[in-house]
Amino acid sequence: MNAKLKIAIQKSGRLSDDSLQIIKECGISFHNGIGKLKAEATNFPAEFLFLRDDDIPGYVADGVAHIGIVGENVLVEKGKQVETVHKLGFSKCRLSIAVPKGARYLGPASLQGKRIATSYPRLLGQFLASHQVQADIHEISGSVEIAPGIGLAEAICDLVSSGSTLFTNGLEEVETVFRSEAVLIAQPQLPADLKELLGQLLFRIKAVQAAKNNKYILLNAPQAKVERIASLIPGMKSPSIMQLARPGWVSLHSVINENDFWAVIEALRAEGAEGILVVPIEKMIV
Ligand code: PRT
Ligand code: ZN
């Protein structure tokens, strides 16, 4: 039988849409009936398992799934023996300690002897130990933010993204314990044929990510400025330069990174570039 990569992704929740999206952008399709736990890819040797995110590290460590997509927060909290293969850049959040607004907080030592409610006892425990603080970690599985209000704890340690949940519950973020994003994990010691499939998938993921971080740029430039303008947009190897029908002008085509986008555009304009077009890239193989 030919090898098939079993991929665990979250069934429904904050990771699901982006996990499915990246799979789709990698050109992998599958039919998935509502409520199904498994789906077979139609154009890649893979099978998807739809699971609760908390179970994904364990299933990957046990070999039920070969690879999976999960938040680093869950991965580290579970402490399973799996390999982090690649950061995926979505579901970014932080695990933070928060106290009631206005409470006196002068650093981790203020947590000494306090009760802290969390769903992340391991990560919180490591943070407290690293600051030589002894506190009473009260593990709860959800609605952590209400714990101070109902007298269950004096502080909480929970995931934060926008901060609005803390705000509406009258809490103030005082420490960042851990920063997290979605990652691709794999069972260590995958057999060679599955490793080969993982390599193919990773190649596609990187092409999708590179495309998202870059834009294709076309512009017109006076011939006299070509060298200076070309040096601003070096692209993957060097820009393409084409003669325009109008004498003394050329067109340059290249790729620019999203991070330096506006600074590069300003510099190009200052050098006399005109008619600048910026186009999204669908896939980028570097
Ligand atoms: O059912 P299942 O167990 O699979 O899902 P779940 O309910 O345990 O997890 P889910 O879907 O809520 O989150 C999955 C993963 O998304 C987490 O493990 C994180 O890696 C990531 N993630 C990113 C977040 C958040 N952002 C986030 N904001 N997970 C949870 N939150 C919650 C947080 O717990 C708090 O209640 O959102 C609230 C705070 O959000 P803000 O925007 O108000 O700050
Ligand atoms: Zn969960």
Side-chain angles (χ1 to χ4, degrees):
M1 202 183 84
N2 290 334
K4 200 190 294 171
L5 197 60
K6 290 194 210 165
I7 308 174
I9 55 180
Q10 191 191 25
K11 184 169 165 57
S12 99
R14 284 186 165 85
L15 293 160
S16 326
D17 287 351
D18 287 326
S19 301
L20 291 175
Q21 178 70 17
I22 203 158
I23 297 292
K24 190 173 149 202
E25 287 169 339
C26 286
I28 301 175
S29 319
F30 59 88
H31 303 298
N32 182 26
I34 292 175
K36 259 195 168 182
L37 298 176
K38 278 208 286 193
E40 189 106 2
T42 53
N43 54 359
F44 191 84
E47 181 177 68
F48 294 91
L49 309 178
F50 302 103
L51 304 166
R52 284 201 59 194
D53 68 343
D54 313 68
D55 297 333
I56 291 175
Y59 279 129
V60 171
D62 296 345
V64 174
H66 302 122
I67 65 169
I69 296 177
V70 71
E72 287 171 298
N73 52 312
V74 168
L75 177 63
V76 177
E77 183 63 30
K78 297 291 171 194
K80 300 284 182 188
Q81 285 301 306
V82 299
E83 208 174 290
T84 300
V85 178
H86 194 64
K87 292 197 183 239
L88 296 172
F90 57 82
S91 294
K92 287 191 176 171
C93 59
R94 54 197 187 272
L95 183 68
S96 291
I97 296 176
V99 297
K101 210 166 174 44
R104 198 173 149 78
Y105 186 84
L106 304 168
S110 298
L111 299 166
Q112 182 68 34
K114 297 275 160 64
R115 274 173 308 163
I116 312 174
T118 189
S119 309
Y120 294 88
R122 176 193 283 248
L123 280 164
L124 174 60
Q126 285 169 357
F127 173 85
L128 295 174
S130 73
H131 289 89
Q132 288 89 44
V133 170
Q134 267 151 20
D136 174 13
I137 299 177
H138 196 96
E139 187 177 350
I140 51 178
S141 59
S143 303
V144 174
E145 64 281 355
I146 64 166
I150 58 170
L152 191 67
E154 285 93 34
I156 67 160
C157 177
D158 197 13
L159 297 176
V160 181
S161 47
S162 69
S164 71
T165 302
L166 293 183
F167 182 80
T168 35
N169 286 281
L171 298 168
E172 194 176 2
E173 194 174 351
V174 290
E175 299 286 349
T176 302
V177 169
F178 188 77
R179 289 188 186 277
S180 176
E181 66 183 83
V183 285
L184 185 69
I185 58 171
Q187 183 199 324
Q189 319 287 336
L190 274 180
D193 46 1
L194 294 173
K195 221 176 197 163
E196 163 73 24
L197 292 177
L198 171 58
Q200 288 175 20
L201 179 65
L202 198 55
F203 176 80
R204 295 188 190 189
I205 289 175
K206 287 180 179 168
V208 168
Q209 287 180 324
K212 279 196 184 140
N213 294 334
N214 290 279
K215 296 273 183 284
Y216 191 69
I217 182 167
L218 308 87
L219 56 86
N220 294 331
Q223 180 77 56
K225 291 290 186 74
V226 160
E227 268 179 39
R228 298 190 58 162
I229 289 183
S231 71
L232 292 170
I233 45 172
M236 292 205 272
K237 209 166 242 114
S238 72
S240 315
I241 302 177
M242 276 156 275
Q243 207 65 47
L244 288 193
R246 186 165 158 184
W249 283 80
V250 291
S251 165
L252 282 89
H253 296 198
S254 193
V255 166
I256 59 173
N257 193 278
E258 190 71 47
N259 296 331
D260 344 302
F261 185 79
W262 289 111
V264 172
I265 297 290
E266 288 310 320
L268 290 171
R269 275 163 40 88
E271 291 292 347
E274 286 180 13
I276 303 174
L277 299 179
V278 177
V279 187
I281 298 171
E282 199 181 298
K283 302 282 188 300
M284 186 165 152
I285 321 297
V286 288

